[in-house]
Amino acid sequence: MNPYVLATLLSSLGLGTTITFASSHWLLAWMGLEINTLAIIPLMAQHHHPRAVEAATKYFLTQATAAAVILFASTTNAWITGEWNMTNMSNPIATTMILAALALKIGLAPMHFWMPEVLQGLDLLTGLILSTWQKLAPLALIIQTAPTFNPFLLTALGLMSTLVGGWGGLNQTQLRKILAYSSIAHMGWMIIITQYAPQLTLLALLTYILMTSAAFLTLKLSYTTKIGTLATMWSKSPLLTATTALVLLSLGGLPPLTGFMPKWLILQELTKQNLPLAATVMALAALISLYYYLRLCYAMTLTISPNIVTSTTPWRTQTTQASIPLALSIMMALALLPITPAIMI
């Protein structure tokens, strides 16, 4: 892709998200979301592969539907209340429609069906943008309007997303689909706590972005998109294999790693809010997700790939991509748990 075109698209992505962040007016927020969607579609379809075009089409249709519903709901709210302000959402029908549309935007269950399909058709860097940057604007809107939503609805969305994110990833062999289900599960963790402690939603989002970036950049460095090819990683780069296994365990939320921090604090807050049953279901759903992370770790570190290829394998392929972002994201995805007391203050 032409560097000028790429620069324009990436700056439009940033602009769309910033407009949504800065707005307290529904029309402006909607405009930011639209700019965001239109800027990422050329990035998705840049390889002219039938899969990429299909993914871009599916993504466009779902995002356009969500944007139309947001516009309709905010117009309905403005019609009833007489103002477009986000904080004045008194009509329950409009608030429920807006929550449904924003859930469709970020891929919360049961509006999650587009997410694995779309992510599967993209290359790893565009997939990384879709899994991290594209979640920011809708989540900002959800956090801003959270007090007006029905708490039962948010809890139901959160529980369903963590369960679907766990169950859906169990029988997948494609790494991008596994990461898509992982994203759905993490969004569930963020949504369930939004009304009680929005700062924990932001903390969970930040750790999720760090861990997902580390996972995607690792897969890009090793040209891996299937579980089967993970088994050849140890002979190419043993150190990277070890750190990737730890990053996956961090995504699963195991204790000495960064991913444990948001899960621990969210479960603690849920029990403080007298929701022990929700906290128990969330913890059990995290165990289901942990199974497929462990499966990836097993394939990567404890299996040797069947060597039936007659040609010479290029073990040490020269890479052209920068490894500093990868090193930074891996470090932060593994070693941030000790700063938990500072965050709690």
Side-chain angles (χ1 to χ4, degrees), residues 57-344:
T57 311
K58 283 178 178 171
Y59 184 74
F60 172 73
L61 290 173
T62 51
Q63 299 298 306
T65 307
V69 173
I70 288 173
L71 197 56
F72 179 61
S74 51
T75 311
T76 308
N77 187 64
W79 184 31
I80 291 165
T81 61
E83 56 179 272
W84 286 85
N85 204 335
M86 279 182 201
T87 48
N88 189 9
M89 295 286 293
S90 52
N91 183 16
I93 298 171
T95 49
T96 308
M97 278 166 63
I98 279 180
L99 179 59
L102 291 171
L104 177 60
K105 280 248 175 219
I106 57 174
L108 280 172
M111 285 79 85
H112 67 281
F113 293 99
W114 61 271
M115 180 88 188
E117 300 295 324
V118 168
L119 205 59
Q120 179 55 32
L122 305 179
D123 66 307
L124 288 164
L125 271 185
T126 317
L128 173 60
I129 295 173
L130 176 68
S131 303
T132 54
W133 186 260
Q134 292 298 92
K135 308 282 187 200
L136 297 180
L139 266 171
L141 293 181
I142 289 176
I143 290 170
Q144 277 186 63
T145 49
T148 60
F149 294 141
N150 182 349
F152 174 74
L153 204 56
L154 282 174
T155 308
L157 276 173
L159 287 173
M160 199 183 281
S161 297
T162 41
L163 286 165
V164 165
W167 280 115
L170 290 181
N171 63 346
Q172 300 296 338
T173 56
Q174 296 284 343
L175 296 177
R176 283 167 294 189
K177 280 197 174 177
I178 287 179
L179 285 167
Y181 281 109
S182 154
S183 168
I184 293 164
H186 278 90
M187 289 296 132
W189 280 91
M190 289 170 216
I191 285 299
I192 200 164
I193 203 68
T194 316
Q195 247 179 359
Y196 308 111
Q199 66 275 18
L200 285 186
T201 302
L202 291 175
L203 175 69
L205 178 65
L206 184 66
T207 50
Y208 162 74
I209 287 175
L210 288 173
M211 297 182 296
T212 308
S213 304
F216 269 103
L217 291 171
T218 307
L219 297 181
K220 186 174 182 298
L221 190 76
S222 54
Y223 303 108
T224 314
T225 52
K226 291 192 207 66
I227 288 190
T229 44
L230 273 181
T232 61
M233 256 182 82
W234 66 273
S235 51
K236 293 182 198 173
S237 41
L239 188 62
L240 189 66
T241 307
T243 53
T244 310
L246 289 172
V247 165
L248 288 167
L249 294 176
S250 183
L251 267 167
L254 284 190
L257 308 164
T258 309
F260 177 60
M261 172 171 49
K263 286 191 166 65
W264 166 31
L265 294 175
I266 287 171
L267 289 176
Q268 188 181 344
E269 184 63 34
L270 283 173
T271 44
K272 272 186 202 164
Q273 298 289 344
N274 282 334
L275 293 167
L277 188 63
T280 309
V281 175
M282 294 293 277
L284 292 174
L287 283 179
I288 306 173
S289 301
L290 186 63
Y291 173 78
Y292 58 77
Y293 296 124
L294 282 171
R295 186 162 143 239
L296 293 183
C297 293
Y298 175 76
M300 209 185 315
T301 54
L302 297 172
T303 56
I304 296 176
S305 68
N307 194 5
I308 49 172
V309 193
T310 50
S311 60
T312 318
T313 319
W315 291 119
R316 299 272 170 193
T317 49
Q318 284 299 314
T319 178
T320 51
Q321 71 172 1
S323 52
I324 290 175
L326 172 63
L328 279 174
S329 55
I330 283 181
M331 269 309 297
M332 292 171 92
L334 298 184
L336 289 188
L337 188 65
I339 65 164
T340 309
I343 287 171
M344 287 172 81

